[in-house]
Amino acid sequence: MGVSRMTGAGPDRADFPQMANAIRALAMDAVEKAKSGHPGMPMGMADVATTLFAEHLKFDAGNPDWPDRDRFVLSAGHGSMLLYSLAYLLGYEGMTLEEIKNFRQLGSKTAGHPEYGHAPAVETTTGPLGQGLANAVGMALAEAHLNARFGDDVVDHRTYAIAGDGCLMEGISQEAIALAGHLKLRKLTVLWDDNNISIDGPISLSDSTDQLARFAASGWATTRVDGHDPAAISAAIEKAKASERPTLIACRTTIGYGAPTKAGTAGVHGAPLGEGEIEGARQALDWPYAPFEIPEELLAKWRAAGARGAETRAAWEARVAKDAHCEAFKTAMAGDYAGALNKAIAKYNASLVETPQKLATRKASELVLDVVNEVVVDTVGGSADLTGSNNTKTKNIDVLSAENYAGRYVYYGIREHGMAAAMNGMALHGGVVPYGGTFLVFTDYCRPAIRLSALMGVRVVYVMTHDSIGLGEDGPTHQPVEHLAALRAIPNLNVYRPCDGVETAECWEMALKTIATPSVVALTRQGLEQARLKPSDENLSAKGAYVIAGKDANDVTLIASGSEVSLALKAREALAKDGIKARVVSAPCFELFSMQPESYQKEILGKAPRIGIEAAIRQGWDVFLRRKDGFVGMTGFGASAPINDLYEHFGITPAAVAAKAKRLIS
Amino acid sequence: MGVSRMTGAGPDRADFPQMANAIRALAMDAVEKAKSGHPGMPMGMADVATTLFAEHLKFDAGNPDWPDRDRFVLSAGHGSMLLYSLAYLLGYEGMTLEEIKNFRQLGSKTAGHPEYGHAPAVETTTGPLGQGLANAVGMALAEAHLNARFGDDVVDHRTYAIAGDGCLMEGISQEAIALAGHLKLRKLTVLWDDNNISIDGPISLSDSTDQLARFAASGWATTRVDGHDPAAISAAIEKAKASERPTLIACRTTIGYGAPTKAGTAGVHGAPLGEGEIEGARQALDWPYAPFEIPEELLAKWRAAGARGAETRAAWEARVAKDAHCEAFKTAMAGDYAGALNKAIAKYNASLVETPQKLATRKASELVLDVVNEVVVDTVGGSADLTGSNNTKTKNIDVLSAENYAGRYVYYGIREHGMAAAMNGMALHGGVVPYGGTFLVFTDYCRPAIRLSALMGVRVVYVMTHDSIGLGEDGPTHQPVEHLAALRAIPNLNVYRPCDGVETAECWEMALKTIATPSVVALTRQGLEQARLKPSDENLSAKGAYVIAGKDANDVTLIASGSEVSLALKAREALAKDGIKARVVSAPCFELFSMQPESYQKEILGKAPRIGIEAAIRQGWDVFLRRKDGFVGMTGFGASAPINDLYEHFGITPAAVAAKAKRLIS
């Protein structure tokens, strides 16, 4: 009988080998039918997964969204059939045998890699290696924070991740494990599928790292077990539960366990086994059933495992329902702050309009965050070692550390990628609203995680300062010129570039209200004149672009974002002296503008010749510009020099805009 | 007297403290004058740098390009004044005191971060943290390879990198050190500026990693020294020289050493010291000289250090000049293969045209590489654990390993970022032509290094397969939709997407001939009909786009890249049945097309309505399209399904193109 802290009885450990074989059979059959996929990992890790789910994991298959469930992350996402098999066997609603048979087919829940929101039991989208591991760190971090806020009765769960050699070789893994070790995230357990095989062949082709020593160096507890021995696996998990540190369990497994000739080789990693090999595996595993057939008695055992947590879950719900102190927890999990934000931002902006200020938008962002962090008490901010530059820490929030998990500010260290992926995990966990900063140019360092924020549709706010050559002397390695374009290229990502304090507040409001879309807020290092001087009841940035000056001017339309809006306003003044009437459109968010009705777009842009202005490349500006229209911006990398010299050198000046306008009109 | 394997006598070790102070003084004075920069690191690491350059580094300041020099990489690039001070003090031509005084000013050699090709003694562009460390691994790898090919008499030098805490926290560092440890790159030495400070404050805010244990876990020799004790530093470097493994020397230093109140704090990291603090530092360091003044006697000692290697270098040159066996070495270092390539590619393409084949372009790339690797014997290929998928290993090259450095194929492991940055280092080192593969979607993982390839202008070829939804079942995590656009956004990067075997060969030829521009070659997983059936003496891909069918057809112009070219050809056939004459333009490289004269562009595109076709987003297509023109491609993320279902589902079909053409014309 398995040891369990849960009330519901689990299946007997003697049944585990055959239960694991059910996973193996479904995995090899589904991959075979799809003629594509990765059977090796699910077959190798079936014993580990069975032991975890049947004996340790706190969950209720009937209520997959139970907030206090343990989180399980399949970081080695190519082994998706492991997760789908588990979901079917455990009885998650919607994961039918039909879905298993439709593995990797259009419209099925059983996509090639696990996709969040697409199938039950999928806590995060994985496949790009290392991401799930770092997501798990974020989930464990969110749990530690909420546990500190709401106590064991409300929040007390663990996070498990299965990681492969690929996850551990990816650099992001180092950022993730170093952060987890530093923060002593003791409820995090990584089960490493230590099978000595990668796609190219034996691991010895490319790696000689002592992974246990490496994790230990970052403050982890480590242990090694036979990944096909349920008793050993279970003991290691028990030990992890008692650890004061995060734990790595190296599970020595045979990839493709059961396949008679291919097991233990790269040949079983990413291709169907083939009929003969499957036949042999059925014999070797003593699995005399037809493809996709799970004997009823065995299925019942799995279903019992899926229901193990039902009572615990019900007790939790009863507890939380009658506890008034849980209201804040429910608010946090609901994550809807629109009402409170509206008022606070409107009030803040009214004060700004009353007493205009010259502000760097990164500073404006800090002032807005002062307000936001007061109203949205569930934010957890941070920076990748640029706190003073990103202006992400407000005075009203404390540091989150191993000594104070209730804090709301994370010193992520020089780990942009780990930070971004951890924020994905935090957002997926729920109950916290993560935001984090670095320089805009370093979005390159965390781009795989930003893409996953967008693909999953989670609310993560990337605070990206020093957003152009305007950062000056640090030079081309630090000056983004192509990054706005490259970020705007990512589907379902809103890229904001506010022009002053008022727009900064509006963009923050939008970023926090947009629950299913992540945001990048691009902010200046340099001070900017306040461009918005008239009060507005409406959030003008919400439509992506609007006329900020010269509503009735029809000679030329100047469209600009961020720091270039005040430049456009100056060009408008210069043109006015020559009797040319320029309209100025501020465009803080291209994506939101593209979503407006064509009539709105036409009204804003007008019929006059247009000039786009942005201290970046033109790519992506064709949302606004026709081929004959002009653009004032960058065509290549920047340079190291004081800001004014750079704008002059690259010809991004009011005079250059005015001259281009005259040429266009004539 | 310092121990040295070099013939020229170096300065006496008793002089090192004052020599180091010269670095400190120049660094603090230059930062103060520029009103921006990072004085803390140069002041902290001055003793280490002095010991290395005055006693150990094999170089000749009068001949900075000497191929057999030791390489020195300042991975912590924000400490650029360390490097500029050294260059001036050692007497590198062009690094005048005037340049030092113009630190961070427009047009000076002394940019905010060291830029390759911009100033002498700069072996690689650094600033984005961790990159230099991984470049150094690539340099050491190139050295090991060339040493194996040409022997100690021709190639026998070491690589040193100074890395900071930021470099070691970045995930890329793990990829780099694991690779270096695995390959036993014994001539690589990393000097870690172990100062316990990052921008946000003490390292303890964000990290608890035992770095020595971590490096040891990846097979490095490790040691710790007082970074202000020349004898200890020198002994550690001597020990590293004798090591059979790469060595980490943790140099315990005080950041901003000498600054009376700010030393040892984050306050000295990234801002000028201020007048009072500088005054105090002058007293503390016993440096009674005016700003930028270096006493003549001391400068002479530095200059002597700069000339230490002159005799060794002269002897090397004499040796190499008379050794006929060195011809291949000289060819490798020259790196010009245009002539040989032209002939080989033309011959290969003629054979393809004669017997057309249906090929995935990734397979075509392998066939081309068979030819290339025969003709260009200096290529070193590899893949980030996708050898069989990227088709990067040809039969005529052996594996490069610790047992066989002469091999030409690197199993980089699941380390895209480390691979890309190592390839930058290999290209910078010279003598090898690196190419390496992964899936196109994972360019996101190595984007910071790709950007640096472009910024530095080095010949690295990125072989990026599985270049669209055409990869099928792996689904949206693996399907690039925005990546072509995001890569085309990077200045000075050529993105090739060939449509068949012939174009694949042409693109490879261009990629190898383009010495100052890196290339991405995007290749399909799926088989493609051969589109080019007519022989051509000319490399048609060299102009970026050309008419592949229907030169005189003027009803509509279909422009496509890669896998969509054959789709366009089918649409052309369908349209012909309805009496509509369609021209088809194949566009394998947007960047090269943009460089053509307007007359060529107009001639190719014609005056008819245009439709762009690419299984990716439209962004970036405005090189070819006007606003009213059509586009058939993707508007969001892909899905998991067999390829044909996906093309149908997303409406990228000949029928869809034909229908759009009819709407455009009518």
Side-chain angles (χ1 to χ4, degrees):
Chain A
M1 182 65 195
V3 178
S4 170
R5 62 177 163 144
M6 313 200 41
T7 46
D12 197 277
R13 201 180 278 163
D15 295 324
F16 287 8
Q18 200 63 344
M19 289 172 74
N21 283 339
I23 295 175
R24 294 191 176 98
L26 289 175
M28 66 184 185
D29 289 343
V31 170
E32 192 68 16
K33 184 160 188 289
K35 297 191 196 72
S36 96
H38 300 75
M41 190 279 211
M43 295 177 78
M45 284 296 277
D47 296 309
V48 171
T50 300
T51 307
L52 177 66
F53 276 80
E55 221 171 79
H56 294 279
L57 201 78
K58 180 169 91 167
F59 73 108
D60 176 9
N63 287 270
D65 297 330
W66 173 23
D68 200 31
R69 72 191 179 281
D70 286 350
R71 303 301 196 269
F72 172 75
V73 171
L74 186 73
S75 189
H78 53 276
S80 56
M81 268 312 302
L82 179 75
L83 196 45
Y84 301 147
S85 301
L86 284 166
Y88 164 66
L89 293 166
L90 292 162
Y92 279 85
E93 194 180 334
M95 188 52 79
T96 62
L97 200 55
E98 210 48 43
E99 293 287 352
I100 301 286
K101 289 179 185 169
N102 277 324
F103 182 49
R104 296 187 153 226
Q105 304 309 302
L106 194 63
S108 75
K109 291 189 198 301
T110 45
H113 292 82
E115 293 180 38
Y116 174 71
H118 204 75
V122 177
E123 299 279 8
T124 178
T125 297
T126 51
L129 294 174
Q131 298 289 332
L133 181 57
N135 296 160
V137 171
M139 291 174 185
L141 178 55
E143 194 275 345
H145 174 70
L146 295 171
N147 172 271
R149 282 185 66 192
F150 299 109
D152 284 354
D153 269 4
V154 182
V155 180
D156 183 18
H157 53 266
R158 306 185 58 82
T159 305
Y160 296 91
I162 287 184
D165 288 295
C167 295
L168 301 198
M169 280 203 226
E170 291 286 0
I172 188 175
S173 67
Q174 183 61 29
E175 302 185 18
I177 68 172
L179 186 63
H182 177 69
L183 291 174
K184 300 192 173 78
L185 299 174
R186 65 185 173 83
K187 294 184 192 169
L188 173 65
T189 304
V190 171
L191 300 151
W192 167 33
D193 180 13
D194 179 19
N195 62 23
N196 264 324
I197 289 293
S198 73
I199 292 174
D200 275 355
I203 291 295
S204 58
L205 283 180
S206 60
D207 196 42
S208 313
T209 300
D210 177 344
Q211 296 290 1
L212 269 65
R214 176 188 164 212
F215 275 71
S218 284
W220 286 56
T222 64
T223 182
R224 185 185 295 282
V225 299
D226 174 353
H228 301 299
D229 177 351
I233 298 161
S234 194
I237 295 175
E238 278 304 332
K239 204 172 145 200
K241 287 181 186 170
S243 172
E244 290 302 308
R245 297 178 289 163
T247 299
L248 170 75
I249 303 175
C251 309
R252 181 53 62 90
T253 64
T254 301
I255 190 170
Y257 183 94
T261 69
K262 292 184 180 173
T265 75
V268 82
H269 186 287
L273 294 182
E275 268 184 41
E277 190 78 4
I278 286 183
E279 185 55 41
R282 286 197 139 73
Q283 284 177 21
L285 297 170
D286 190 19
W287 187 263
Y289 311 108
F292 300 105
E293 184 193 338
I294 308 293
E296 238 173 84
E297 198 195 353
L298 193 65
L299 187 60
K301 283 173 184 159
W302 266 115
R303 293 288 155 96
R308 268 169 55 240
E311 283 179 42
T312 311
R313 195 257 318 148
W316 180 90
E317 282 187 353
R319 207 159 60 231
V320 167
K322 62 181 179 205
D323 188 347
H325 142 265
C326 287
E327 284 313 306
F329 173 74
K330 288 174 205 159
T331 305
M333 292 307 294
D336 178 4
Y337 311 100
L341 268 174
N342 275 358
K343 270 188 236 165
I345 296 286
K347 188 176 156 199
Y348 172 75
N349 271 353
S351 77
L352 262 190
V353 169
E354 224 164 87
T355 49
Q357 298 180 44
K358 182 171 180 176
L359 282 173
T361 48
R362 64 177 170 141
K363 179 65 187 171
S365 173
E366 182 186 335
L367 297 175
V368 175
L369 276 171
D370 272 333
V371 175
V372 163
N373 284 339
E374 206 67 51
V375 175
V376 184
V377 297
D378 306 316
T379 52
V380 174
S383 164
D385 198 45
L386 289 168
T387 296
S389 299
N390 301 145
N391 300 62
T392 33
K393 183 164 182 332
T394 57
K395 289 194 194 74
N396 50 3
I397 57 174
D398 291 330
V399 173
L400 190 162
S401 68
E403 289 72 46
N404 178 27
Y405 289 121
R408 292 168 59 193
Y409 192 80
V410 182
Y411 286 115
Y412 283 105
I414 300 113
R415 303 184 182 109
E416 300 81 8
H417 203 178
M419 172 178 76
M423 290 200 294
N424 281 340
M426 292 158 79
L428 289 163
H429 180 280
V432 296
V433 179
Y435 71 84
T438 182
F439 290 159
L440 181 61
V441 80
F442 298 137
T443 49
D444 278 355
Y445 272 76
C446 44
R447 196 170 164 89
I450 296 176
R451 183 176 206 254
L452 283 167
S453 306
L455 181 57
M456 293 191 278
V458 291
R459 176 174 50 187
V460 172
V461 186
Y462 294 95
V463 183
M464 298 297 177
T465 69
H466 296 58
D467 73 347
S468 76
I469 54 164
L471 65 85
E473 292 88 344
D474 272 345
T477 53
H478 285 56
Q479 290 162 354
V481 294
E482 76 276 25
H483 297 76
L484 291 167
L487 290 165
R488 286 169 184 150
I490 299 178
N492 193 41
L493 174 68
N494 287 342
V495 180
Y496 296 96
R497 190 168 187 250
C499 75
D500 68 359
V502 177
E503 275 194 8
T504 303
E506 289 180 343
C507 292
W508 260 110
E509 184 184 357
M510 291 305 296
L512 292 168
K513 280 165 74 175
T514 314
I515 289 179
T517 301
S519 302
V520 169
V521 186
L523 302 165
T524 64
R525 176 187 187 219
Q526 72 270 29
L528 300 179
E529 296 293 341
Q530 188 164 318
R532 284 270 290 285
L533 301 167
K534 282 183 220 153
S536 163
D537 289 338
E538 209 187 328
N539 182 325
L540 298 178
S541 301
K543 287 187 175 162
Y546 62 93
V547 178
I548 194 165
K551 208 171 181 64
D552 302 319
N554 282 319
D555 291 341
V556 64
T557 301
L558 310 178
I559 311 157
S561 83
S563 43
E564 283 66 70
V565 171
S566 43
L567 191 153
L569 291 169
K570 279 186 195 135
R572 173 178 137 87
E573 283 170 32
L575 287 165
K577 284 180 192 150
D578 292 329
I580 298 168
K581 290 176 182 138
R583 177 187 297 190
V584 176
V585 172
S586 178
C589 183
F590 290 21
E591 294 79 14
L592 292 177
F593 184 70
S594 298
M595 289 177 203
Q596 303 309 313
E598 209 183 323
S599 57
Y600 177 82
Q601 297 188 14
K602 278 190 173 167
E603 181 198 327
I604 296 302
L605 297 176
K607 289 180 181 165
R610 302 170 193 165
I611 298 175
I613 315 165
E614 188 168 70
I617 61 166
R618 178 171 174 152
Q619 187 179 305
W621 266 85
D622 297 273
V623 171
F624 297 102
L625 304 180
R626 299 152 300 192
R627 225 179 189 219
K628 63 187 174 193
D629 291 328
F631 182 74
V632 173
M634 299 289 291
T635 56
F637 293 111
S640 171
I643 175 173
N644 292 340
D645 293 351
L646 288 173
Y647 270 86
E648 196 67 44
H649 176 72
F650 289 109
I652 307 173
T653 61
V657 172
K660 181 153 279 190
K662 285 178 196 167
R663 278 200 304 279
L664 270 182
I665 292 169
S666 67
Chain B
M1 183 67 195
V3 178
S4 171
R5 62 177 163 142
M6 310 198 47
T7 45
D12 198 278
R13 201 181 279 163
D15 295 324
F16 286 7
Q18 199 65 343
M19 288 172 75
N21 283 339
I23 295 175
R24 295 191 175 98
L26 289 175
M28 68 184 185
D29 289 342
V31 170
E32 191 68 16
K33 183 159 188 291
K35 297 191 196 73
S36 96
H38 300 74
M41 191 281 211
M43 295 177 78
M45 284 296 277
D47 295 310
V48 172
T50 300
T51 306
L52 177 65
F53 276 80
E55 221 171 78
H56 295 280
L57 200 78
K58 180 170 89 167
F59 73 110
D60 175 9
N63 287 270
D65 297 330
W66 173 24
D68 200 31
R69 72 192 179 278
D70 286 350
R71 303 301 196 269
F72 172 75
V73 171
L74 187 74
S75 189
H78 52 276
S80 56
M81 268 311 302
L82 179 74
L83 197 45
Y84 301 147
S85 300
L86 285 166
Y88 164 65
L89 293 166
L90 292 161
Y92 278 86
E93 193 180 335
M95 187 53 78
T96 61
L97 200 55
E98 209 48 43
E99 293 287 351
I100 301 285
K101 289 181 184 168
N102 277 325
F103 182 49
R104 295 185 154 228
Q105 304 309 303
L106 193 63
S108 76
K109 291 188 198 301
T110 46
H113 292 82
E115 293 180 39
Y116 175 71
H118 203 74
V122 176
E123 299 278 8
T124 178
T125 298
T126 52
L129 295 174
Q131 298 290 333
L133 182 57
N135 296 160
V137 171
M139 291 174 186
L141 178 54
E143 194 276 345
H145 175 70
L146 296 171
N147 172 271
R149 283 184 66 194
F150 300 108
D152 285 352
D153 269 3
V154 182
V155 180
D156 183 17
H157 53 266
R158 307 185 58 83
T159 305
Y160 295 91
I162 287 184
D165 289 295
C167 295
L168 300 198
M169 280 204 225
E170 291 286 358
I172 188 177
S173 66
Q174 183 61 29
E175 302 184 18
I177 69 172
L179 185 63
H182 178 69
L183 291 175
K184 299 194 173 75
L185 299 174
R186 64 183 173 85
K187 293 186 193 169
L188 172 64
T189 303
V190 171
L191 300 151
W192 167 32
D193 180 13
D194 179 18
N195 61 23
N196 264 323
I197 289 292
S198 74
I199 291 175
D200 275 356
I203 291 295
S204 58
L205 284 179
S206 60
D207 196 41
S208 314
T209 300
D210 177 344
Q211 296 290 2
L212 269 64
R214 176 189 165 212
F215 274 71
S218 283
W220 286 55
T222 63
T223 184
R224 185 185 294 283
V225 298
D226 174 352
H228 301 299
D229 177 351
I233 299 161
S234 194
I237 295 175
E238 278 303 331
K239 205 173 145 200
K241 287 180 186 171
S243 172
E244 290 302 307
R245 298 178 288 164
T247 299
L248 170 74
I249 303 175
C251 308
R252 181 54 61 90
T253 64
T254 301
I255 190 171
Y257 184 94
T261 70
K262 292 183 180 173
T265 75
V268 81
H269 185 287
L273 295 182
E275 268 185 43
E277 191 77 3
I278 287 183
E279 184 55 41
R282 287 196 139 73
Q283 285 177 19
L285 297 170
D286 189 18
W287 186 264
Y289 310 109
F292 300 105
E293 184 193 339
I294 307 292
E296 237 174 85
E297 199 194 355
L298 193 64
L299 188 60
K301 284 171 185 162
W302 266 115
R303 294 286 156 96
R308 268 169 55 239
E311 281 179 43
T312 310
R313 194 257 318 148
W316 180 90
E317 283 187 353
R319 207 158 61 230
V320 167
K322 61 182 178 203
D323 188 348
H325 143 264
C326 288
E327 284 312 306
F329 173 73
K330 287 174 207 160
T331 305
M333 292 307 294
D336 178 4
Y337 311 100
L341 268 173
N342 274 358
K343 269 187 238 166
I345 297 286
K347 188 177 156 199
Y348 172 75
N349 272 354
S351 76
L352 262 189
V353 169
E354 225 164 86
T355 50
Q357 298 181 44
K358 182 173 180 176
L359 281 175
T361 47
R362 63 176 171 140
K363 180 65 187 170
S365 172
E366 183 186 335
L367 297 176
V368 176
L369 276 171
D370 272 333
V371 176
V372 163
N373 285 338
E374 208 66 52
V375 175
V376 184
V377 296
D378 306 315
T379 52
V380 174
S383 164
D385 198 46
L386 289 168
T387 295
S389 299
N390 301 145
N391 299 63
T392 32
K393 183 164 180 333
T394 55
K395 289 192 195 76
N396 50 4
I397 57 174
D398 292 329
V399 173
L400 190 163
S401 68
E403 289 71 46
N404 178 26
Y405 290 120
R408 292 171 57 193
Y409 191 80
V410 182
Y411 286 115
Y412 284 105
I414 301 113
R415 305 184 182 109
E416 300 82 7
H417 202 178
M419 172 179 74
M423 290 200 294
N424 281 340
M426 292 157 78
L428 288 163
H429 181 281
V432 297
V433 179
Y435 70 85
T438 182
F439 289 160
L440 181 61
V441 80
F442 297 137
T443 49
D444 279 355
Y445 271 75
C446 45
R447 196 169 163 88
I450 296 176
R451 182 176 208 255
L452 283 167
S453 306
L455 181 57
M456 292 191 278
V458 291
R459 176 173 52 187
V460 172
V461 186
Y462 295 95
V463 183
M464 298 297 176
T465 69
H466 295 59
D467 73 346
S468 76
I469 54 165
L471 64 86
E473 293 88 344
D474 273 345
T477 53
H478 285 55
Q479 290 163 354
V481 294
E482 77 276 25
H483 297 76
L484 291 168
L487 290 166
R488 287 170 183 150
I490 298 178
N492 193 40
L493 174 68
N494 287 342
V495 180
Y496 295 96
R497 191 167 187 251
C499 74
D500 68 359
V502 178
E503 275 194 9
T504 302
E506 290 180 342
C507 291
W508 260 110
E509 184 185 355
M510 291 304 297
L512 292 168
K513 280 165 74 174
T514 314
I515 290 180
T517 301
S519 301
V520 169
V521 186
L523 302 164
T524 64
R525 176 188 187 219
Q526 73 271 26
L528 301 179
E529 296 293 342
Q530 187 163 319
R532 283 269 291 283
L533 301 167
K534 282 182 220 155
S536 162
D537 289 338
E538 209 187 331
N539 181 326
L540 297 178
S541 301
K543 288 187 174 162
Y546 62 94
V547 178
I548 193 165
K551 207 170 180 64
D552 303 319
N554 282 318
D555 291 341
V556 64
T557 301
L558 309 178
I559 311 156
S561 82
S563 44
E564 283 66 68
V565 171
S566 43
L567 192 152
L569 291 169
K570 279 186 195 134
R572 173 178 137 87
E573 282 171 33
L575 287 165
K577 284 178 191 151
D578 292 329
I580 298 168
K581 289 176 182 138
R583 175 188 299 191
V584 176
V585 173
S586 178
C589 184
F590 291 20
E591 294 79 15
L592 291 177
F593 184 70
S594 298
M595 288 176 204
Q596 302 310 313
E598 209 182 325
S599 57
Y600 178 82
Q601 297 188 12
K602 279 189 174 167
E603 180 199 328
I604 296 302
L605 297 176
K607 289 181 181 167
R610 302 170 193 165
I611 298 176
I613 316 166
E614 188 168 70
I617 60 166
R618 177 170 175 152
Q619 186 180 303
W621 266 85
D622 297 272
V623 171
F624 298 102
L625 304 179
R626 299 151 300 191
R627 225 177 190 221
K628 63 188 175 195
D629 291 329
F631 182 75
V632 173
M634 300 289 291
T635 56
F637 293 112
S640 171
I643 173 171
N644 292 340
D645 294 352
L646 288 174
Y647 270 87
E648 197 66 47
H649 176 71
F650 290 108
I652 307 173
T653 61
V657 172
K660 182 152 282 190
K662 286 178 195 166
R663 278 201 304 280
L664 269 183
I665 291 169
S666 68

